[in-house]
Amino acid sequence: MPNKGFGRRKFIGTLTAVSLGGMIPQVFAANKVSDKLAALGGEPVRSKTKKWPKWPYVDDRMIEEIVKTTKSGKWSRINAPVDGQVATFEKQFASLTGAKYCIGTGSGTQALAIAVEALGIGPGDEVITSPYTDFGTVSAILTSRALPVLADLDPASYQLDPDDVKRKINSATKAILPVHMMGLPADMDKIMAMAQQHKLKVIEDACQAALAKFRGKTLGTLGDLGCISFQASKALACGEGGAIIGNDEQLMDQCFTVHNHGTTKKGKHTTIGPKNRMNEFEGAILNGQLPTAVERFELRNKNATYLNEKLKGFKGLVPQKMYAGTESGGYYNYAMSYKKEHFAGATRQQFLKAIVAEGVPFSPYIPNGLHREAWIDHILTLNEYKKMFPAARLKQYREQMSSLPGCDTVCDEMVAMHGSGSLIATTADMDDIINAVMKVYDQREQLKNL
Ligand SMILES: *Cc1c(COP(=O)(O)O)cnc(C)c1O
């Protein structure tokens, strides 16, 4: 055994997880006392003085852009329609994503709601989406008074299961709204084929997936419209902000009109819409960070690939499944499924308590699928929904929303690390993560004392 001259942790760091998947190497058994879990008073793998990268990211260029905008007095995009911060960002983001057009908005939720409205989806229409997402996804369907129909997940990828989407398509279905969960691509080959077959629109919720690629295309440009979020926690962040990207000029013009309280670029008041314009300060913060954003995106991908490699073959913590065609991810979260049978039956809560005490910021992320939240019963009490849909459909809808077992499994097993900041750390930091996982795995019998 190559244990001479190695501390236990360093030794683990030199192994891949494969060798640890099925058995405890002898060297660990001899070290029980010093391997006490930090949660039980042992020494943590990662000392408390070591910090994870701060989030949100801030640099001098971003501050300069904000100061410039403040001093210019041009605070709304209408003060600088051609070369202002928002207009400039839209051009640059379109070019980065390969989309023909981009429209800045006040949030990702707004971007999604504008997409739904601009596609003419409304009362009596159904949109199929994921139960495992930010509530903004569902909210964007509800604000147009359409019916959000939740399909179940592939429990290994945390993405929409195309087979269940198919089961939920009916004559009222107008669109599929796949969410690229954690910033990795949903099963887009199957979803796009199904949409084409049933003549459905596709709105991509790429809120976590800025810049990620699938089969040579940037997420958000595969469907009819793509929506991105720049909320403070997202990998490209401006506080609250978002964007719609797309290639269809007429549809994108309609999105502009809807987001501009129903007023066209030429000033004609033509339709229904909220006022959801991105402001110049948000554009400034984004323009300031764009020159280095791709660098951070690539670093997240490099670190995620490194973690995937280290965890390959380890049965206790299984990284998010990727579909064929995936080229890169936004990595809003680095996500894994916790398999308690490989941790001596310890609950996920016990595992998380142990791993966090070792200095690794893992969390359970979304506690409940959106099919388990109160909004469903609420809309079923509303007269507007009772008027829009036959009683039999609403009864069937309630039943469909009562059982999404794939999503429940994901909620139970999820172990996520926020990727925006943590995944731009160093390789040594990634080694701390793996070493902590392996220590907790090695000492799994201690977990029941937590
Ligand atoms: C963040 C997020 C949204 C909503 O974006 P906001 O900018 O917060 O409104 C929607 N969907 C997903 C998957 C998200 O992560």
Side-chain angles (χ1 to χ4, degrees):
M1 298 294 279
N3 59 338
K4 283 220 182 69
F6 281 84
R8 188 195 61 81
R9 260 169 236 149
K10 195 155 175 206
F11 172 64
I12 296 176
T14 63
L15 283 177
T16 65
V18 181
S19 51
L20 297 168
M23 55 169 195
I24 307 174
Q26 295 296 315
V27 62
F28 301 150
N31 269 340
K32 279 273 189 267
V33 178
S34 60
D35 284 335
K36 197 170 191 184
L37 291 175
L40 294 168
E43 192 196 328
V45 166
R46 190 173 164 89
S47 86
K48 288 206 169 64
T49 57
K50 282 199 200 169
K51 300 286 179 223
W52 293 96
K54 265 199 191 149
W55 196 259
Y57 170 84
V58 178
D59 69 18
D60 289 345
R61 206 185 279 118
M62 294 163 71
I63 295 164
E64 277 165 29
E65 292 297 333
I66 278 285
V67 170
K68 206 168 88 186
T69 292
T70 309
K71 288 183 176 164
S72 76
K74 293 176 178 173
W75 294 356
S76 160
R77 68 175 301 155
I78 64 169
N79 302 130
V82 180
D83 60 352
Q85 295 281 16
V86 175
T88 303
F89 174 74
E90 288 172 343
K91 275 180 221 130
Q92 292 192 41
F93 196 70
S95 139
L96 259 181
T97 55
K100 281 198 188 137
Y101 309 97
C102 171
I103 299 167
T105 64
S107 71
T109 304
Q110 291 176 9
L112 288 160
I114 293 155
V116 169
E117 184 72 28
L119 283 164
I121 297 167
D125 296 336
E126 301 190 9
V127 178
I128 302 176
T129 192
S130 169
Y132 192 71
T133 178
D134 184 278
F135 192 53
T137 312
V138 162
S139 152
I141 300 166
L142 291 172
T143 49
S144 284
R145 298 302 188 270
L147 187 68
V149 176
L150 309 178
D152 207 2
L153 303 184
D154 173 341
S157 68
Y158 326 137
Q159 313 279 9
L160 273 180
D161 168 9
D163 290 334
D164 201 50
V165 172
K166 196 178 187 108
R167 281 191 284 273
K168 284 176 174 146
I169 294 174
N170 63 33
S171 58
T173 309
K174 288 289 162 0
I176 307 175
L177 203 164
V179 179
H180 301 300
M181 207 37 185
M182 316 302 184
L184 284 172
D187 196 348
M188 290 308 281
D189 285 343
K190 287 190 185 163
I191 288 170
M192 292 308 294
M194 201 167 5
Q196 209 157 22
Q197 190 194 341
H198 295 270
K199 298 194 169 41
L200 303 175
K201 301 293 181 191
V202 175
I203 302 168
E204 295 176 70
D205 181 339
C207 281
Q208 304 188 349
L211 309 181
K213 280 207 155 92
F214 180 81
R215 297 202 191 282
K217 287 185 174 169
T218 306
L219 294 185
T221 66
L222 287 93
D224 294 275
L225 293 167
C227 300
I228 324 282
S229 168
F230 307 124
Q231 189 270 340
S233 68
K234 305 290 155 89
L236 194 58
C238 70
E240 302 288 355
I244 309 171
I245 54 178
N247 290 322
D248 179 329
E249 185 178 8
Q250 213 180 338
L251 179 57
M252 287 299 283
D253 270 346
Q254 184 64 9
C255 287
F256 186 94
T257 302
V258 170
H259 110 298
N260 193 34
H261 52 42
T263 303
T264 65
K265 278 183 185 154
K266 293 194 170 140
K268 301 276 181 241
H269 310 307
T270 60
T271 189
I272 299 171
K275 184 170 173 242
N276 285 166
R277 300 195 298 237
M278 177 182 275
N279 77 50
E280 289 290 290
F281 294 99
E282 291 159 345
I285 286 274
L286 289 167
N287 284 331
Q289 70 195 282
L290 267 192
T292 53
V294 174
E295 230 168 81
R296 284 184 294 282
F297 170 81
E298 285 172 354
L299 185 52
R300 283 184 202 102
N301 276 275
K302 178 175 158 247
N303 280 328
T305 305
Y306 184 82
L307 292 175
N308 288 343
E309 280 299 313
K310 289 279 178 180
L311 289 171
K312 196 177 265 175
F314 179 54
K315 296 192 178 79
L317 215 46
V318 182
Q320 181 174 10
K321 170 178 134 186
M322 293 182 213
Y323 293 105
T326 298
E327 290 173 18
S328 54
Y331 288 108
Y332 177 63
N333 282 311
Y334 180 80
M336 298 150 281
S337 297
Y338 173 73
K339 304 290 182 184
K340 67 173 179 219
E341 62 274 25
H342 295 285
F343 279 89
T347 63
R348 178 183 58 171
Q349 196 185 352
Q350 289 169 319
F351 169 77
L352 286 174
K353 209 166 162 187
I355 200 93
V356 167
E358 299 298 336
V360 172
F362 284 178
S363 86
Y365 193 41
I366 296 170
N368 294 307
L370 295 178
H371 62 301
R372 300 200 171 278
E373 298 284 347
W375 65 275
I376 294 179
D377 286 326
H378 172 68
I379 65 167
L380 292 175
T381 66
L382 298 178
N383 276 334
E384 48 189 322
Y385 276 86
K386 286 184 197 163
K387 279 184 200 158
M388 291 185 294
F389 295 93
R393 172 59 186 135
L394 292 181
K395 184 163 176 277
Q396 178 198 37
Y397 174 73
R398 190 71 202 82
E399 281 159 14
Q400 286 176 332
M401 297 306 100
S402 300
S403 172
L404 298 173
C407 178
D408 293 340
T409 300
V410 173
C411 291
D412 290 347
E413 295 184 342
M414 176 58 57
V415 166
M417 181 175 75
H418 185 215
S420 301
S422 304
L423 274 188
I424 54 173
T426 64
T427 306
D429 293 318
M430 299 302 114
D431 284 335
D432 282 348
I433 295 170
I434 296 299
N435 288 338
V437 169
M438 291 308 143
K439 176 182 172 186
V440 174
Y441 171 73
D442 177 29
Q443 304 304 328
R444 59 196 180 277
E445 293 296 337
Q446 292 179 33
L447 290 172
K448 57 176 166 294
N449 301 323
L450 290 174

